[in-house]
Amino acid sequence: MGDLHHGRGRKAYLRKRDALKRRVARDNLTCGHGGPYGCGQPIDTTIPYPDRMSFSADHPTALANGGHLVAQTLIPMHLGCNARKGDAAEVEIWEAS
């Protein structure tokens, strides 16, 4: 499948990520704002990548789990918190019958 971040939709994803970063700076959004993961602490958007406290945009459904690069609402997270989350996704458990 190759690197999903370098395929189709990359430019749209980058625009969406950059817009989220501007919103985080403007509205002081915290890590995990609007999602079930993240530490809840402020994100300093001036901290450069790859510092663990730098800004990253999380895909609620990991790309490795079938999430879409662009069609998801991105969640602001610290790079370290996003790395800890990894490919975690809410899992629905069905009782065997």
Side-chain angles (χ1 to χ4, degrees):
M1 185 183 316
D3 185 354
L4 296 172
H5 286 286
H6 292 96
R8 196 167 160 214
R10 177 170 167 72
K11 287 183 182 181
Y13 162 73
L14 292 175
R15 282 192 302 274
K16 196 169 182 178
R17 182 201 63 194
D18 292 346
L20 178 60
K21 186 174 184 177
R22 288 189 301 274
R23 184 171 167 232
V24 167
R26 181 188 70 224
D27 297 342
N28 297 314
L29 300 181
T30 58
C31 179
H33 176 82
Y37 300 98
C39 68
Q41 296 300 310
I43 300 172
D44 181 347
T45 58
T46 65
I47 296 174
Y49 175 88
D51 189 289
R52 294 189 63 72
M53 295 303 285
S54 66
F55 166 84
S56 73
D58 177 59
H59 289 85
T61 301
L63 302 179
N65 294 335
H68 193 274
L69 180 64
V70 180
Q72 297 187 64
T73 299
L74 299 175
I75 306 294
M77 291 182 83
H78 294 114
L79 183 62
C81 294
N82 199 348
R84 259 191 315 280
K85 175 193 171 238
D87 293 341
E90 293 187 31
V91 177
E92 223 176 294
I93 299 175
W94 295 83
E95 185 175 322
S97 54

